């Protein structure tokens, strides 16, 4: 599970995160919404240890990220908005390479299945990644994250670049992760996708989590209204 306890991050004079308190339990899919600059990526990056909090704590399965960074990262899989891969290697070679770095070692068949599950078309698996579209690279990133078998998933606009069908398939994958008891924190701008896949939704603005709700409690129209209402008020 994930816990932010009065998590605060200042960049110079600017406070990007104001004493954030947030818990994402096992099996929960928590979607963070909010305008550009709200602090979504900063939140995710504190859990990853990419950003060191000014005060407060980020815990991953009870592990203090700043104090035990390596241990905390063993529990985390991460999909960023733009997945970085080796352009001269194929999708399959990239997946195998990155997964081997985590200490895993599976048969080729297993990796091929993960790529197919992530929605990569079969004929692309053996082609070099420099020929891939953005969405195809994203699918390799999804397969890399799945292979790690981590109990916590941190996702920062993971569906950016995915076509509607791939995004739909991705929702299925996230639900499976949730059923397996993993905790998922996803920053996204996609209200529709958030409502569809989340168990809980939070709206951030100016570094604060201004409201949270159960995803079941709102339909898409209501969520959009709540979101717009919060954007109008200071
Ligand atoms: N490395 C940095 N140095 C200085 N300021 C930063 C840095 N990273 C983020 N910020 C600032 O922190 C605030 C929050 O940024 P953050 O990237 O967390 O927003 P976000 O909610 O992810 O936005 P977006 O929807 O555009 O991705 C912004 O005002 C941003 O300018
Ligand atoms: Mg961001």
């Amino acid at each position: 599970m994930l816990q932010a306890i009065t998590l605060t991050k200042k960049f110079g004079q600017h406070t990007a995160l104001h004493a954030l308190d947030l818990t994402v339990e096992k099996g929960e899919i928590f979607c963070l919404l909010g305008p550009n600059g709200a602090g979504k990526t900063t939140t995710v990056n504190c859990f990853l240890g990419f950003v060191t909090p000014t005060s407060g704590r980020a815990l991953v399965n009870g592990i203090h990220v700043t104090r035990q960074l390596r241990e905390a990262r063993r529990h985390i899989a991460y999909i960023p908005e733009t997945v970085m891969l080796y352009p001269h290697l194929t999708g399959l070679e990239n997946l195998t390479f990155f997964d081997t770095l985590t200490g895993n070692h599976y048969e080729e068949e297993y990796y091929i299945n993960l790529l197919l599950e992530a929605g990569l078309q079969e004929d692309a698996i053996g082609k070099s990644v420099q020929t891939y579209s953005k969405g195809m690279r994203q699918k390799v990133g999804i397969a890399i994250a799945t292979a790690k078998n981590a109990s916590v998933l941190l996702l920062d606009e993971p569906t950016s670049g995915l076509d509607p069908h791939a995004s739909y398939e991705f929702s299925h994958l996230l639900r499976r992760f949730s059923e397996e008891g993993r905790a998922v924190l996803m920053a996204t701008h996609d209200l529709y996708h958030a409502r569809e896949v989340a168990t809980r939704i939070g709206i951030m603005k100016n570094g604060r989590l201004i409201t949270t709700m159960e995803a079941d409690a709102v339909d898409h129209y209501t969520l959009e209204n709540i979101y717009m209402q919060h954007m109008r008020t200071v």
Side-chain angles (χ1 to χ4, degrees), residues 34-42 44-45 81 156-157 187-189:
N36 298 129
K40 304 180 298 297
T41 295
T42 304
V44 170
N45 286 350
E81 184 186 349
D156 196 356
E157 300 184 39
T188 180
H189 287 297

Side-chain angles (χ1 to χ4, degrees), residues 25-28 145-146 149-153 177-178 180-184:
E25 303 280 359
K26 284 177 170 186
E28 271 197 314
T146 312
N149 227 343
S151 61
V152 168
L153 267 107
F177 290 156
S178 147
E180 289 167 356
R182 307 184 205 210
V184 182

Side-chain angles (χ1 to χ4, degrees), residues 98-195:
F98 283 108
D99 196 49
T100 310
L101 286 184
T102 72
N104 287 339
H105 203 79
Y106 296 109
E107 299 287 315
E108 186 173 283
E109 195 66 22
Y110 176 78
Y111 291 120
I112 291 173
N113 267 328
L114 285 182
L115 289 167
L116 293 173
E117 242 178 51
L120 193 69
Q121 57 267 44
E122 203 168 350
D123 62 353
I125 287 172
K127 288 189 181 144
S128 75
V129 157
Q130 62 195 345
T131 68
Y132 283 20
S133 69
K134 182 175 184 215
M136 288 159 78
R137 285 196 295 272
Q138 211 59 13
K139 289 169 182 175
V140 178
I142 292 168
I144 293 170
T146 312
K148 191 168 174 192
N149 227 343
S151 61
V152 168
L153 267 107
L154 294 171
L155 315 170
D156 196 356
E157 300 184 39
T159 56
S160 104
L162 291 187
D163 62 57
H165 178 250
S167 182
Y168 176 82
E169 293 287 313
F170 184 61
S171 299
H172 274 276
L173 197 64
L174 288 187
R175 278 202 208 97
R176 202 184 78 200
F177 290 156
S178 147
E179 281 158 17
E180 289 167 356
R182 307 184 205 210
V184 182
L185 175 65
M186 170 161 79
T188 180
H189 287 297
D190 187 341
L191 299 189
Y192 183 83
H193 187 236
R195 219 229 40 90

Side-chain angles (χ1 to χ4, degrees), residues 186-216:
M186 170 161 79
T188 180
H189 287 297
D190 187 341
L191 299 189
Y192 183 83
H193 187 236
R195 219 229 40 90
E196 194 187 59
V197 76
T199 55
R200 235 161 19 113
I201 295 172
I203 300 176
M204 280 191 95
K205 191 179 172 185
N206 298 330
R208 296 175 201 273
L209 189 60
I210 50 176
T211 186
T212 63
M213 67 203 86
E214 298 293 318
D216 280 353

